[in-house]
Amino acid sequence: MTATRPANLRAPPVRARGGDWVDDTRPIAVSFDGRAYTGLAGDTLASALLANGVRVVGRSLKYHRPRGILSAGFEEPNALVQLGKGAHSEPNALATRVEIYDGMTATSVNRWPSLSHDVFAAFGLLARFMPAGFYYKTFLGSRVLWDRLYEPFLRRMAGFGRAPVGADPENYDQRHLQCDVLVVGGGVAGLASARAACASGARVVLIEDNPELAAGLAASPAKEWIDVAIGVVKQDATVLTRTTVFGAYDAGYFAALQRASDHLPQEARAGVRQRLWLIRAKQVVLATGAIERPLVFPNNDRPGVYLAGAARAYLDRFGVLVGRNVVAFTNNDETYATVIALKKAGAAIAAIVDVRANLTGGAVALAKHEGIRVLEGYVVVDVRGRSAVRGVTIAALDGGRREKIACDALLMSGGWSPAVHLFSQQGGKLIYDPGMAAFVPDRRPADPWCAGALCGETGVDAAITGGWRAGSSAATALGKPAPRGLTAELPDEPKGDAPLAFWRVPVAPSAERKCFIDFQNDSTLADVSLAVREGFTHPEHVKRYTLTGFGTDQGKTGNINALGNIAERTGGDLARLAPTTFRPPFLPVTFGALAGREKGALLDPVRVTALHDWHVAAGAAFENVGQWKRPWYYPKDGETLDQAVTRECLAVRNNVGILDASTLGKIEIVGADAAAFLNRVYTNAWSKLGVGRSRYGLMCREDGMLFDDGTTTRLAPDRFLMTTTTGNAAAVLDWLEEWLQTEWPDLKVYCTSVTDHWSTIALAGPRAREVLQCLAPGTALDAENFPFMSYQEVVVAGVAARVFRISFTGELSFEINVPWHDARHVWEAAITAGAAFGITPYGTEAMHVLRAEKGYPIIGQDTDGTVTPLDLGMAWAVSTKKDFLGKRSLARPDTARPDRKQFVGLLTSDPSRVIPEGAQIVSESNIADVRLPQSSPVPMEGHVTSSYFSAVLGRSIALALVRDGFRRTGETVYAVADGHAIAARIGPTVFYDPDGTRRDG
Amino acid sequence: MLLIDCPHCGPRDETEFHAGGEAHIARPEKAAELTDAQWADYLFMRSNTKGWFAERWVHAAGCRRWFNVERHTVTHEIRRTYPMAGAPTEPEEGP
């Protein structure tokens, strides 16, 4: 872009002298839009660009107007840049906050193909046709045009930065911190607060957004006091700089983001890039300062128009003069000190234009004494220069004379808005202060302490005094001794003139389109006027209609001007308008910092069984079940999932399979009232269950819906072992504890999770007994001595084991529980002994097929929280005699309805066709409608919950919940999925061995 | 984030706890004798209080014990925590 670069971009801002923050001896090379610039160590990207005469740094969102740097801090709406490249790239970084390092590459955003030649700038010419609400009114008129034309075009045009490509390679950290007093803001007031709190012996944390405390006050008359305070506080308190408190939450909880190494070159970044601090403070002092606001006048957004305070910051911190010939436009005294500072640094001051008349205070007198032309009762009515300010037109407010004044920079100040964001986030109320023309904290006893410019304590003297008072109050509220008196000799500051609330320069309606209120969203005075005309008079409505206050800056500079103009336009009282809600985060926060270390393998704990290494060595494919890794299937010789599952299923049906069932939830329920307790939580009866016997049970919530199922065994008169589904183990234990503690504390029962104490190895298949016999040679395992649904303590492969005759396959089955650390030994012994019988390890997929062949439901797959035990056809497991959790609900009219969705089996007409799980079911009479391309909705009769190809049956099987299903046996219905309607007949849920002849082998 | 004073463990971050809804709702002893409306009231209906509210919490990542909390639903201030068996604070007489 060198060849096309307009000459006026080489504008006057130059380095006047060394600033407080920069090191004159250390030049730093950076690249912006492919062009090399030299800054100084300590520069922000903004100050470096200004020092190099760069004026235009971006294009505006809607009209693509050239935009320059407005501010010197976090309130910046314009100077968004894309930093770095590839996975390290960061969108929407604020040039006014980014500290430069050697090799930094930054590019401007929202322009194409280049900053100086932007294709979309023509939108600026169309501004009068693009008022607030334009997008809604225009583009949503035609749905087809929106999908095919408008949206793809707008997406190319809209937005600022680009999301980085690839996973974030940086490291992020999180730390927790507790303190007595948290001081937010390391300006003079915050410093004084921290010093007072430290002096009373409190544990203090001081957080500052800038790299330095008391930024930019090197020239202050209180410099000596400040230097001493910085020394003391750095010694006595925890001081975090380059750190932004972005969220204030309940009970003194704050979140802060520390830019730990963003200021370092990529290769020099060791450890973490950013650190999230989570802070719990007993007392809080907010010293968050104030944000200067723009004035509203035509072309107030031109590059070269700066907030007055920013011009001061660039001079004091970085030694950069934003102009050689400056006009200032203000409504308050503080601009005068800035102008005088610029004059002393070598700038010519063309004029100070002050909306106020009849000024008598010291600030004005001093400026006049310096020979500066002060125009009282005047306003700026236009700014000349497109890519850089060339001059302004001023006019008397009373409509009198106009004058053109040449200048290369315009400073503006519409007064200061306290940075009430954190105060408000904590629930603090705001009140309009007419003297300051701003919303300030309306402090109540429970609110945080406030100090400094946040509560109108402007000037170093007032800030130190107010800060000390706040810090002292915070410490004494905790019972600390009051710190000894503040001893600072501070010069009196001259009495000044009060600021004047001034929300816009009066201009013709046609000129309102150029009066910008929200720079980032291109919202203008004309938009606010239109919103009010169309009836949107509440600030929250105006915000959404005009977009004022959205975006990365959240209206930090613009919101108050919008409010002021709403009040003027509606003839209302500004004091009665509530500012829009402040919510966290105060500034955008990188997702990486919120995730911290909890990513990749550390995102969630991984639980593995004692046999995990064996499964890995056997080549198992795994699936996640809750946090557990379970073998899904064991592919042999390049088998597919289907091939492996077929082999594993047939092995169980024909010979013997072995399953690692260790993840099943296991809870020991112990105590004199254990059986009574089970009676209350299970739907069936437990009192008469003999020692050494097992029973299947269902659990409901109080609404009668199924919650969990499992087999529970009586180990001793007062001791039961309950099993739960794998994913529900913790929830079941919580459920039991809740009832024991809250409703039935009189029951003598203790519950203990023993899930990872006992490893469970299931042997299933007609030859299971023969395998176990090899491992337990002396034990009688026949059906008479060791019947179905019973339990014995058996020595298996030399290990004392709990063996249960429980079956989830319908085959002869033994579940062997051994201590976790013995599991590998017993498993390998079973594999060895079973080799002669064709033992085959099988995974969860085969387990699911085998149980579906027998119609055993899986709670959570075949049920979904709307299914009762009766809906499953399990009335046999629901006691009619005793009360249990959920029982009364089973008699509620809706629950007792006969035509509820009920659990049935489905057999497809085409036996090779496997219905996709989740497919919706429609009845035969409606199927013609389904096939129509744009048919009206067809009643859904239910859905398919489980569906597999059964190898032993040589056909597909499915389980489903179907409306009135029990009575519809034999009916053909259609499962609709992927554009097909699959015919299937309703039948029983048990597909294989309905008479249970196989369970004893 | 709330700071909850577990009666057994002391003040801990909210993330260690699970909320358990409105407190002091006893399970009807003779559920079978209740009308459908009475049962539905126990099952589904909870007060939506603006102001001080007694609710149940469990110290899920700590002692695993249930207790009651009196929390202000507007300010989130917690004025009292007490064991399950404890009685709620009597509401103050309105003006």
Side-chain angles (χ1 to χ4, degrees):
Chain A
M1 72 180 265
T2 312
T4 60
R5 191 177 160 78
N8 66 11
L9 288 189
R10 299 180 197 281
V14 286
R15 194 83 63 175
R17 60 169 170 79
D20 292 349
W21 289 8
V22 290
D23 181 350
D24 293 340
T25 65
R26 288 179 53 211
I28 302 282
V30 298
S31 154
F32 178 66
D33 277 346
R35 193 182 160 99
Y37 297 96
T38 305
L40 296 176
D43 259 331
T44 61
L45 182 58
S47 67
L49 291 175
L50 284 173
N52 282 279
V54 175
R55 279 283 172 96
V56 181
V57 296
R59 290 270 176 176
S60 71
L61 180 69
K62 190 171 167 187
Y63 305 126
H64 284 246
R65 287 166 70 95
R67 286 282 163 78
I69 292 157
L70 177 72
S71 74
F74 49 57
E75 67 270 42
E76 177 64 32
N78 292 337
L80 305 179
V81 296
Q82 185 93 22
L83 280 186
K85 291 199 169 69
H88 287 279
S89 184
E90 182 185 355
N92 301 340
L94 292 180
T96 51
R97 276 161 61 85
V98 169
E99 296 174 63
I100 62 169
Y101 49 79
D102 259 320
M104 169 179 281
T105 59
T107 50
S108 56
V109 297
N110 205 37
R111 84 290 186 275
W112 187 82
S114 76
L115 258 187
S116 50
H117 289 89
D118 178 70
V119 166
F120 297 115
F123 285 116
L125 305 175
L126 301 175
R128 61 181 305 174
F129 304 115
M130 298 167 69
F134 169 75
Y135 287 86
Y136 291 117
K137 289 169 179 170
T138 306
F139 293 117
L140 291 180
S142 161
R143 190 74 220 182
V144 173
L145 283 178
W146 170 257
D147 287 342
R148 298 201 181 148
L149 178 65
Y150 298 145
E151 190 183 5
F153 176 72
L154 290 173
R155 286 203 183 280
R156 174 179 181 85
M157 202 186 84
F160 289 108
R162 299 264 169 250
V165 177
D168 190 342
E170 305 268 10
N171 290 316
Y172 298 86
D173 201 9
Q174 296 185 349
R175 288 189 63 182
H176 294 262
L177 201 54
Q178 279 92 33
C179 62
D180 292 327
V181 180
L182 169 67
V183 181
V184 184
V188 177
L191 196 56
S193 296
R195 197 178 168 195
C198 285
S200 66
R203 220 161 27 129
V204 178
V205 172
L206 173 63
I207 297 188
E208 166 56 33
D209 183 57
N210 280 303
E212 305 284 347
L213 295 176
L217 284 161
S220 165
K223 182 172 186 327
E224 197 178 326
W225 187 92
I226 291 169
D227 285 345
V228 171
I230 290 175
V232 170
V233 168
K234 279 188 171 169
Q235 189 177 311
D236 289 352
T238 302
V239 178
L240 303 175
T241 53
R242 290 191 178 96
T243 305
T244 314
V245 178
F246 64 81
Y249 306 91
D250 291 316
Y253 197 74
F254 290 81
L257 185 69
Q258 182 178 32
R259 306 182 298 280
S261 58
D262 277 354
H263 60 292
L264 301 173
Q266 203 77 54
E267 60 277 9
R269 292 181 192 177
V272 300
R273 177 193 172 208
Q274 295 180 347
R275 186 175 289 116
L276 183 71
W277 290 87
L278 299 165
I279 304 157
R280 179 78 76 175
K282 291 177 183 157
Q283 293 284 319
V284 183
V285 177
L286 297 179
T288 47
I291 297 171
E292 199 170 20
R293 52 200 188 224
L295 287 161
V296 179
F297 54 95
N299 292 315
N300 59 345
D301 67 324
R302 290 302 190 197
V305 181
Y306 302 93
L307 292 172
R312 180 71 183 271
Y314 284 116
L315 180 62
D316 288 349
R317 299 175 192 175
F318 309 106
V320 172
L321 266 179
V322 297
R324 282 291 189 203
N325 185 25
V326 175
V327 170
F329 180 24
T330 188
N331 71 341
N332 64 77
D333 274 5
E334 281 168 61
T335 309
Y336 287 78
T338 295
V339 168
I340 291 168
L342 262 64
K343 182 167 190 288
K344 286 183 174 163
I349 308 300
I352 298 179
V353 181
D354 198 319
V355 300
R356 301 171 298 175
N358 306 319
L359 299 175
T360 57
V364 180
L366 196 57
K368 288 179 175 167
H369 179 74
E370 291 278 337
I372 295 171
R373 184 184 178 203
V374 178
L375 292 151
E376 298 179 32
Y378 273 77
V379 291
V380 174
V381 294
D382 200 9
V383 180
R384 281 175 290 124
R386 184 172 162 73
S387 302
V389 171
R390 284 186 287 114
V392 298
T393 306
I394 61 159
L397 253 183
D398 57 18
R401 102 194 164 81
R402 294 166 81 94
E403 182 186 335
K404 289 186 176 182
I405 301 176
C407 62
D408 59 14
L410 173 62
L411 315 189
M412 61 177 168
S413 177
W416 297 78
S417 302
V420 296
H421 306 67
L422 294 176
F423 180 84
S424 186
Q425 279 180 25
Q426 278 220 316
K429 300 284 178 240
L430 304 179
I431 188 170
Y432 183 70
D433 181 334
M436 291 175 65
F439 285 92
V440 298
D442 180 17
R443 281 174 282 172
R444 296 161 305 167
D447 286 333
W449 307 98
C450 297
L454 172 64
C455 47
E457 294 163 356
T458 53
V460 172
D461 187 4
I464 292 178
T465 311
W468 183 276
R469 190 187 314 120
S472 168
S473 302
T476 51
L478 294 172
K480 308 280 182 192
R484 275 190 292 148
L486 169 65
T487 52
E489 304 245 338
L490 300 167
D492 283 345
E493 289 173 12
K495 280 281 173 241
D497 293 289
L500 175 72
F502 192 76
W503 305 117
R504 65 187 177 94
V505 169
V507 293
S510 61
E512 288 189 357
R513 288 198 312 271
K514 299 289 169 64
C515 299
F516 285 86
I517 285 180
D518 183 317
F519 289 60
Q520 191 171 98
N521 291 299
D522 268 356
S523 307
T524 65
L525 183 56
D527 293 327
V528 172
S529 300
L530 177 70
V532 171
R533 267 206 312 282
E534 297 195 354
F536 299 96
T537 53
H538 191 289
E540 296 283 0
H541 291 154
V542 175
K543 170 178 177 171
R544 278 148 188 89
Y545 198 61
T546 65
L547 298 185
T548 303
F550 286 100
T552 64
D553 68 334
Q554 292 285 294
K556 289 185 175 61
T557 52
N559 281 353
I560 183 70
N561 282 332
L563 277 178
N565 281 293
I566 294 168
E568 281 198 10
R569 287 285 183 265
T570 58
D573 182 2
L574 182 53
R576 297 171 70 93
L577 287 184
T580 50
T581 309
F582 295 96
R583 294 189 182 90
F586 175 73
L587 285 175
V589 178
T590 317
F591 280 125
L594 299 176
R597 309 263 175 185
E598 293 168 26
K599 58 179 184 176
L602 298 181
L603 177 64
D604 198 32
V606 172
R607 301 177 78 182
V608 296
T609 72
L611 301 167
H612 186 74
D613 292 345
W614 191 93
H615 303 317
V616 171
F622 289 88
E623 76 166 334
N624 296 325
V625 183
Q627 291 169 332
W628 289 102
K629 294 280 178 203
R630 295 198 70 178
W632 187 17
Y633 60 101
Y634 299 83
K636 261 184 164 177
D637 310 325
E639 282 176 328
T640 63
L641 167 66
D642 287 343
Q643 290 165 340
V645 169
T646 296
R647 176 179 51 76
E648 292 171 16
C649 286
L650 290 176
V652 172
R653 293 285 179 226
N654 297 328
N655 294 304
V656 60
I658 184 167
L659 174 79
D660 180 2
S662 305
T663 63
L664 274 186
K666 295 180 275 294
I667 302 169
E668 282 211 9
I669 296 167
V670 185
D673 296 320
F677 178 57
L678 291 178
N679 264 339
R680 298 186 191 186
V681 297
Y682 274 127
T683 61
N684 47 348
W686 292 83
S687 313
K688 292 177 184 162
L689 185 72
V691 172
R693 305 296 296 192
S694 304
R695 182 168 288 170
Y696 175 72
L698 297 168
M699 260 182 232
C700 290
R701 298 188 313 237
E702 272 285 59
D703 61 4
M705 302 304 157
L706 271 168
F707 166 58
D708 202 63
D709 71 343
T711 304
T712 292
T713 302
R714 193 164 205 165
L715 303 174
D718 64 347
R719 180 178 294 260
F720 292 80
L721 180 71
M722 173 186 283
T723 65
T724 75
T725 50
T726 295
N728 229 7
V732 170
L733 181 62
D734 288 347
W735 177 249
L736 301 178
E737 279 290 344
E738 178 179 345
W739 286 99
L740 278 175
Q741 290 184 33
T742 65
E743 204 65 35
W744 305 318
D746 52 311
L747 290 184
K748 293 185 180 62
V749 180
Y750 297 92
C751 300
T752 308
S753 168
V754 293
T755 299
D756 38 22
H757 181 97
W758 295 100
S759 210
T760 304
I761 299 166
L763 295 173
R767 310 201 75 172
R769 185 178 286 122
E770 293 166 81
V771 177
L772 183 58
Q773 198 73 73
C774 296
L775 303 175
T779 309
L781 298 174
D782 57 283
E784 199 170 320
N785 286 296
F786 200 161
F788 184 58
M789 294 303 264
S790 71
Y791 147 83
Q792 289 185 26
E793 290 181 4
V794 180
V795 175
V796 179
V799 175
R802 293 171 163 182
V803 180
F804 303 82
R805 266 212 58 201
I806 296 167
S807 178
F808 199 41
T809 59
E811 300 295 330
L812 170 66
S813 182
F814 296 88
E815 291 192 356
I816 305 162
N817 282 13
V818 294
W820 204 258
H821 57 266
D822 291 324
R824 178 80 183 252
H825 162 74
V826 175
W827 176 276
E828 287 182 345
I831 293 285
T832 304
F837 309 99
I839 197 165
T840 302
Y842 66 102
T844 50
E845 190 66 22
M847 178 188 83
H848 281 147
V849 177
L850 293 165
R851 65 89 203 176
E853 287 170 347
K854 288 291 292 177
Y856 298 147
I858 290 186
I859 305 299
Q861 174 170 337
D862 296 296
T863 70
D864 61 2
T866 67
V867 178
T868 70
L870 306 178
D871 296 338
L872 280 192
M874 290 194 173
W876 53 267
V878 179
S879 168
T880 54
K881 298 196 178 89
K882 54 142 197 170
D883 191 20
F884 54 84
L885 292 179
K887 181 175 188 181
R888 176 63 184 81
S889 290
L890 296 179
R892 295 181 62 240
D894 186 67
T895 324
R897 199 160 41 84
D899 63 343
R900 290 174 58 82
K901 286 183 182 167
Q902 290 150 348
F903 195 49
V904 297
L906 291 181
L907 288 175
T908 51
S909 307
D910 173 0
S912 66
R913 192 75 182 268
V914 180
I915 306 171
E917 284 178 356
Q920 295 287 321
I921 292 167
V922 299
S923 64
E924 184 149 34
S925 56
N926 284 315
I927 195 61
D929 292 335
V930 172
R931 288 180 176 140
L932 293 173
Q934 296 228 329
S935 61
S936 54
V938 169
M940 290 298 164
E941 302 290 322
H943 70 279
V944 174
T945 58
S946 295
S947 181
Y948 310 95
F949 188 84
S950 164
V952 73
L953 296 168
R955 60 155 303 134
S956 73
I957 56 169
L959 297 167
L961 287 167
V962 175
R963 189 172 60 81
D964 205 13
F966 295 158
R967 285 198 301 205
R968 293 169 73 174
T969 299
E971 182 180 329
T972 296
V973 291
Y974 290 83
V976 182
D978 307 332
H980 298 283
I982 304 165
R985 197 161 43 82
I986 296 176
T989 53
V990 184
F991 301 98
Y992 182 69
D993 185 28
D995 301 323
T997 58
R998 303 182 62 85
R999 69 169 203 210
D1000 290 328
Chain B
M1 184 185 320
L2 299 178
L3 186 67
I4 299 173
D5 192 4
C6 171
H8 313 289
C9 305
R12 295 284 194 280
D13 279 350
E14 181 184 346
T15 48
E16 294 187 14
F17 298 84
H18 287 169
E22 187 174 1
H24 305 296
I25 295 178
R27 184 170 193 266
E29 282 187 13
K30 294 179 176 171
E33 296 172 10
L34 298 185
T35 64
D36 285 336
Q38 287 169 325
W39 180 251
D41 185 61
Y42 156 71
L43 204 52
F44 302 121
M45 297 305 171
R46 297 293 181 268
S47 48
N48 186 18
T49 305
K50 182 176 183 180
W52 290 110
F53 185 62
E55 56 194 10
R56 310 179 316 152
W57 286 76
V58 60
H59 195 182
C63 63
R64 303 179 58 82
R65 290 173 77 178
W66 285 86
F67 57 95
N68 293 320
V69 171
E70 282 177 6
R71 182 177 64 92
H72 197 282
T73 57
V74 178
T75 64
H76 292 189
E77 184 192 341
I78 292 173
R79 70 176 176 189
R80 182 176 169 228
T81 60
Y82 54 102
M84 284 312 299
T89 303
E90 288 296 321
E92 288 160 34
E93 289 297 317

